Amino acid sequence: MRFLPAQEHITAGIVGLGYVGSCIAATLADNGVGVIGVDTDATLVEELAGGHCRFSEAGLPELVSRLAGTAAFRPTTEYAALAAADVVIVTVGTPIRDQGVLMDLQLRGACEELSRHLRPGQLLVFKSTVPAGMTRELVVPLLERSGLTCGTDFGLAFCPERLSEGNALRELRSFPIVVGGWCDESTDAAAEFWRRALGVEIIRCASLETAEMVKLADNWWIDHNIAMANELAQVCATVDVDVLDVIAAANSIKKGSGSVNILLPSVGVGGSCLTKDPWMVWRSAGERGLALRTIPAAREVNDSMPHYTFGLIVEELAKLGRAPEQAKVAVLGLAFKNDTGDLRATPTQPVIAALREAGAEVALHDPLVDEDEAEKTFGLRPCASVEEAVRGADCLAVLAWHKPFRDLDLTWLRRQVAASCAVIDGRAYYPRETIARMRELGFAYRGIGR
C-alpha cells in the first residue's frame, strides 16, 4: 500500500508527548508497534524514558513504567530519530487566546522541524485540533519546504483526537477513529495503519476538512448540551424539583435513531477542549463572514456556573447564620473533571477565588492533583488529607467527585466539621438515599438544580 509498508511490524513516531501523545504512544507500543516519541521538553522525555508518567490517567503510569527501557518505546528530543518511522503522528497542543485566536507556535514548530527530516514514503497523521482548512492551508505548505510533495512523496491525513480523560486507554482500543486524507492513498494508508495498530472501526471522511470539523462538532455539541443542562438546573431550582429526576425521565424518549440525551449540570466546564474548540469554530466562521450566535451563548452559560456555585455556598452559609468572612469552606476536588488530576481551565478556580475574595477561610484537598500545580493555580497549598481540610468546616464544597472520596464515612465526617455544616454538591450527584442520610446527620444539602 502506498505510504504504508506491507510488513507486519510498523514503527510510529509521536510528535508531542503531552497527555494525548503519551496515551497514544503507550497504547501503540503495548500493541506491538515500535514507537519513537519526540518532545522538546527534555525533562518530560527523561521522565518517560525512566518510566515515570506525570499524567493522571487510569492505567497509563503502569504502562509507561512497564515500557521503560524497552525497544518498544523510545522517547527523545531529537526530530532526526523520526527518519526511522513509517508513520508520524502529530499531537502537539493548539491553545487559543481571545475567543478563538489560535496560538499555532507549537504546530508551526513541529511542521518546520518535520520538514527537515521527512523522507519519501512516510505517512503523516495530524491529531492536533485546528479550524477546518488549517491542515491544507498551513500544515502542508510548511511540510513541503522539505522539497517533497504531499500526496506524491509523502501521505498526509487528519484524525481528530476524541479521547475523554479518565477513559483514554480504553477508548483508544474501542472508539471509532475518523480519517480524512489529502488524497485517497493517504486516507487508505491512515485507515489501514489504525486498523492494524488498534483493530478499531474506521470512519472515512471525504476530505481533510471534514475530519477536522468532526472534533469541533463533537465538542460544540457537548458544550451546548451542558449549557442547556446548567440552565435547566437553575429553572428546576426555582420550582423545587430535582433536575436529575427531570433529566432521567426526559432522556427516556426515543428521537431519530437515538434518544434524547441531556447531560448533567455542574460547577462548570473546564479542560483543554470544551473551553477552546467552540471558540475555534466561532472564530473560523467569523473569518468566513458567518456570525455564529449559539456558541457565545453556551460559553456564557457555562462560564457563569462557578459564580452560580459560589452563590449557592453563600446562600447556604447565610441559612446557617454565617457570613463568608466568618466561615471555613473545605473544597473537596479541584480538577475540572471527576477522577482526573487535570487543572487546565478548571471551573473550581473561580469558585475558590470568589470565596477567598469574600473573606472566607478556604481549605483545599484533591488526592489526584499535584500539590505544586494546585498551589500555582489557586495560590493556596492543598491539605494533605480530607481530615485536615474538613476540620471545623462550615461548608463542604464537593466540586470533583473522585473515587477516593466515595468511601468517606458520613458519620465520621459529621464529627470533623462545625456544629452546623452545609454540603454543596457541584459534581457528586449524590443519590437520594445519601442526601437523606446527610440530612439525618444534620448536614444541610444543596446541589446544582437539587
Side-chain angles (χ1 to χ4, degrees):
M1 177 177 288
R2 196 175 186 190
F3 306 131
L4 192 69
Q7 73 260 23
E8 182 177 340
H9 184 75
I10 295 174
T11 299
I14 310 292
V15 178
L17 293 174
Y19 169 77
V20 172
S22 290
C23 287
I24 294 172
T27 301
L28 290 178
D30 192 47
N31 278 21
V33 177
V35 174
I36 302 165
V38 176
D39 201 285
T40 58
D41 184 340
T43 302
L44 173 61
V45 167
E46 184 178 353
E47 289 173 355
L48 291 170
H52 172 71
C53 177
R54 65 174 66 168
F55 307 109
S56 178
E57 176 61 43
L60 183 60
E62 295 81 1
L63 194 49
V64 168
S65 177
R66 181 155 54 81
L67 293 167
T70 70
F73 180 36
R74 292 166 284 163
T76 178
T77 58
E78 300 297 326
Y79 272 79
L82 295 172
D86 302 302
V87 180
V88 178
I89 303 165
V90 178
T91 65
V92 298
T94 50
I96 65 166
R97 67 174 192 276
D98 300 332
Q99 296 184 330
V101 176
L102 182 68
M103 299 170 67
D104 61 10
L105 289 179
Q106 292 182 62
L107 183 60
R108 282 180 178 272
C111 291
E112 288 168 356
E113 285 292 336
L114 282 170
S115 73
R116 299 184 183 103
H117 302 287
L118 268 181
R119 61 171 175 79
Q122 284 183 307
L123 171 67
L124 273 62
V125 175
F126 283 77
K127 294 185 75 65
S128 303
T129 306
V130 293
M134 181 163 281
T135 304
R136 187 180 304 276
E137 296 163 8
L138 174 68
V139 168
V140 171
L142 289 174
L143 295 173
E144 288 185 336
R145 290 181 182 177
S146 63
L148 302 179
T149 301
C150 187
T152 300
D153 300 309
F154 65 90
L156 183 140
F158 189 86
C159 300
E161 178 277 308
R162 302 192 295 164
L163 302 178
S164 173
E165 286 198 44
N167 299 297
L169 300 190
R170 178 184 61 80
E171 291 177 352
L172 270 169
R173 300 176 191 273
S174 61
F175 268 21
I177 288 187
V178 173
V179 174
W182 172 267
C183 56
D184 289 342
E185 291 90 347
S186 294
T187 305
D188 292 342
E192 180 61 20
F193 166 71
W194 292 117
R195 192 176 291 112
R196 284 194 218 172
L198 297 177
V200 295
E201 177 189 353
I202 307 299
I203 299 175
R204 297 170 63 99
C205 294
S207 65
L208 292 169
E209 289 78 8
T210 305
E212 289 168 328
M213 189 59 78
V214 167
K215 165 71 179 302
L216 300 173
D218 278 337
N219 284 341
W220 186 358
W221 178 85
I222 294 168
D223 196 47
H224 276 56
N225 192 314
I226 295 172
M228 177 194 166
N230 283 330
E231 290 207 312
L232 176 62
Q234 294 176 54
V235 172
C236 286
T238 67
V239 292
D240 197 26
V241 299
D242 190 327
V243 68
L244 297 194
D245 291 345
V246 174
I247 289 174
N251 286 352
S252 67
I253 191 171
K254 298 293 183 182
K255 196 68 177 176
S257 58
S259 301
V260 171
N261 183 28
I262 303 170
L263 300 179
L264 298 178
S266 71
V267 60
V269 170
S272 63
C273 295
L274 292 182
T275 56
K276 174 191 74 171
D277 293 356
W279 283 127
M280 196 179 287
V281 181
W282 179 84
R283 174 72 62 176
S284 178
E287 290 171 352
R288 289 167 168 78
L290 177 62
L292 299 177
R293 293 171 289 177
T294 59
I295 286 174
R299 288 277 71 240
E300 181 180 358
V301 170
N302 289 334
D303 285 345
S304 74
M305 291 307 294
H307 181 75
Y308 179 80
T309 304
F310 165 71
L312 296 184
I313 295 171
V314 172
E315 286 179 20
E316 290 304 308
L317 286 173
K319 291 177 185 177
L320 300 177
R322 293 279 191 277
E325 63 270 20
Q326 301 169 320
K328 175 180 177 180
V329 180
V331 178
L332 302 183
L334 306 175
F336 85 90
K337 182 181 179 183
N338 293 350
D339 296 321
T340 80
D342 197 336
L343 293 176
R344 289 177 294 177
T346 178
T348 66
Q349 191 278 331
V351 180
I352 292 163
L355 286 168
R356 298 184 71 193
E357 186 176 349
E361 177 189 351
V362 180
L364 312 178
H365 178 68
D366 190 313
L368 304 185
V369 164
D370 180 84
E371 290 185 356
D372 292 333
E373 287 300 311
E375 190 167 13
K376 289 178 188 176
T377 301
F378 303 102
L380 193 63
R381 191 79 177 173
C383 297
S385 67
V386 172
E387 183 176 5
E388 181 185 354
V390 305
R391 189 179 299 126
D394 302 288
C395 176
L396 306 181
V398 183
L399 303 187
W401 187 235
H402 303 319
K403 288 177 183 176
F405 293 149
R406 296 172 198 175
D407 294 328
L408 284 176
D409 185 314
L410 292 177
T411 302
W412 171 86
L413 193 61
R414 187 69 190 86
R415 291 197 297 266
Q416 311 307 311
V417 299
S420 298
C421 183
V423 174
I424 301 299
D425 177 0
R427 217 185 280 274
Y429 311 116
Y430 290 111
R432 286 183 181 278
E433 296 77 14
T434 301
I435 296 170
R437 177 62 179 154
M438 286 181 181
R439 288 174 173 155
E440 285 176 7
L441 290 169
F443 287 104
Y445 173 85
R446 184 81 173 271
I448 308 290
R450 310 185 73 196

